[in-house]
Amino acid sequence: MRIAVIALQGDFERHIVRLGEIGADVVSARLPSDIDSADGIVLPGGESTTIGKLMIRYGIDAAIKRAHAAGKPIYGTCAGMILLASEIAAETAEHGGQPVLGLMDLTVARNAYGRQIDSFESTLTDARLPGLPDGGKNLEAVFIRAPAILRAGPTVDILASHEGRPVLVRQANLLASSFHPELTKDTRVHEYFLSMAER
Ligand code: GLN
């Protein structure tokens, strides 16, 4: 199972480490060909505007859309989730708009979890990851200037929530989280993602 972690900017290294720990063959992807040869893709956290612009510059956006059309699983964390979303709440988007892939039926608000508490940890008691230990319950989640999901379309499945808002969602071969599972020792979200790539 070869997973391409988009390595243009942001927190890609921890994803590479975590996926390697659970047995994936991981490529640090900077070229469209790195994506074309992979079975799945991870879009890391970072700065969504920067990653979005670099994706277009290097033709990575088109390669990700090809992978999506081919049914390959794609997982976006934090900034990666913003890039997958179909809509960014206008008041939180970069002035003049910002590039997104628009693959997932979500409306997200950037930096939505408060200015004072830019980062926090929480245990997601209602998390549901079929086939994984404890069914995915009690997932450790780290939020860093995290985006909130304001709206999830009818084909989006909510796999975990925090204070009534979805924070881990799936739509067919797309997975997205507001939080960063790569920063904890709990590898269940990454394992779940690999199980999506196996099918
Ligand atoms: N605040 C970032 C953005 O809006 C996302 C933060 C993150 O990925 N940890 O792009």
Side-chain angles (χ1 to χ4, degrees):
M1 191 72 50
R2 176 181 288 192
I3 305 296
V5 177
I6 307 299
L8 297 173
Q9 189 268 339
D11 179 31
F12 51 86
E13 270 162 25
R14 299 309 302 170
H15 280 290
I16 293 171
V17 170
R18 286 287 172 257
L19 288 162
E21 282 170 0
I22 58 172
D25 171 13
V26 197
V27 194
S28 147
R30 293 192 177 83
L31 298 170
S33 56
D34 296 330
I35 294 163
D36 291 335
S37 60
D39 304 302
I41 298 161
V42 172
L43 268 163
E47 186 53 48
S48 55
T49 315
T50 307
I51 300 174
K53 286 179 180 161
L54 292 171
M55 274 191 337
I56 291 170
R57 185 180 306 165
Y58 298 117
I60 299 276
D61 59 331
I64 293 175
K65 286 178 184 168
R66 277 199 295 279
H68 173 63
K72 294 178 187 176
I74 306 175
Y75 174 30
T77 55
C78 205
M81 178 174 87
I82 297 168
L83 290 161
L84 288 178
S86 53
E87 190 183 9
I88 301 176
E91 64 282 10
T92 70
E94 183 87 354
H95 190 65
Q98 67 182 93
V100 288
L101 295 162
L103 298 175
M104 218 169 169
D105 190 9
L106 297 176
T107 304
V108 300
R110 296 178 66 205
N111 306 323
Y113 282 93
R115 285 231 162 79
Q116 314 89 307
I117 317 165
D118 277 343
S119 303
F120 63 96
E121 275 187 61
S122 182
T123 302
L124 307 177
T125 51
D126 73 345
R128 189 166 55 80
L129 296 173
L132 287 161
D134 256 357
K137 274 205 283 293
N138 299 325
L139 211 53
E140 290 308 316
V142 179
F143 293 80
I144 304 170
R145 289 176 60 74
I149 297 173
L150 303 182
R151 183 195 62 85
T155 60
V156 176
D157 200 12
I158 295 164
L159 300 178
S161 61
H162 174 262
E163 292 181 353
R165 268 181 179 161
V167 291
L168 175 65
V169 290
R170 176 174 178 175
Q171 177 190 317
N173 58 334
L174 300 166
L175 183 69
S177 64
S178 299
F179 60 92
H180 292 266
E182 77 283 6
L183 298 179
T184 69
K185 292 251 175 275
D186 191 340
T187 53
R188 285 177 293 172
V189 178
H190 286 94
E191 287 173 59
Y192 181 76
F193 176 65
L194 286 192
S195 78
M196 288 167 62
E198 272 157 15
R199 269 161 222 151

